[in-house]
Amino acid sequence: MGKRKKRRSLEETGFQLAPMIDMTFLLLIFFMVTTKITKQKKNINIDLPIAATAIAPEDLSNREILNLDAKGQIYVGDRPVTMKELKIHLKKRLIAQPPLRIYVRADAGTKSVEIKKIMRAAAEAGALDIIFGSYKK
């Protein structure tokens, strides 16, 4: 009885490039979409104050962006809201994605009373970290 030898295929195993191209394309689309959403939340025309000691935050991810114009109108992203709607929104945001971190972009002409109201609403909602937007002198 003779032993049969298995013949190995002479075909070369190659690197499949198509799945890599597909994955790169999907990642590109993902980052394009998320970048547009982030910029849209800062689209309100606000003249930020100038501060000599301003420091750019290292991480703005997972922060709720609140905009406050010179007239005292509050915006969650680019949507105008009342103080009552803001409180409800912040409480829902804390439940959905804890911890509640807030980035306040207040116009240089905004009265401090209006900023204090936002601070109070954020504290009542359970905000852990609040930062303010400004330009460096």
Side-chain angles (χ1 to χ4, degrees):
M1 282 201 223
K3 293 184 181 180
R4 287 187 176 180
K5 291 184 180 180
K6 292 183 182 178
R7 289 189 179 184
R8 290 190 181 174
S9 170
L10 296 177
E11 295 177 19
E12 291 184 30
T13 24
F15 183 72
Q16 296 294 325
L17 194 58
M20 296 298 289
I21 292 171
D22 291 345
M23 189 56 124
T24 304
F25 182 66
L26 288 173
L27 285 172
L28 179 66
I29 291 173
F30 171 77
F31 287 118
M32 286 171 46
V33 169
T34 56
T35 301
K36 186 174 183 177
I37 290 171
T38 304
K39 285 182 181 178
Q40 200 172 35
K41 289 183 177 181
K42 297 180 186 177
N43 202 17
I44 306 300
N45 190 15
I46 291 178
D47 184 26
L48 294 176
I50 298 172
T53 58
I55 299 171
E58 293 177 15
D59 182 22
L60 283 177
S61 64
N62 198 25
R63 284 195 184 269
E64 188 64 39
I65 299 175
L66 303 179
N67 295 297
L68 186 62
D69 67 11
K71 297 175 185 174
Q73 176 62 53
I74 305 166
Y75 297 87
V76 173
D78 61 347
R79 182 177 53 95
V81 295
T82 64
M83 185 57 70
K84 184 178 179 181
E85 292 171 333
L86 175 66
K87 289 178 182 181
I88 293 169
H89 174 77
L90 291 178
K91 288 178 183 176
K92 286 181 181 178
R93 169 65 168 69
L94 174 64
I95 293 168
Q97 292 178 315
L100 181 58
R101 299 170 55 206
I102 298 175
Y103 175 36
V104 178
R105 298 179 69 242
D107 192 275
T110 304
K111 295 180 181 179
S112 60
V113 174
E114 300 300 325
I115 296 171
K116 190 175 180 179
K117 289 178 186 176
I118 287 183
M119 294 290 293
R120 186 175 293 121
E124 289 174 4
L128 295 177
D129 186 17
I130 301 173
I131 60 173
F132 290 91
S134 65
Y135 292 120
K136 189 169 185 166
K137 190 173 188 179

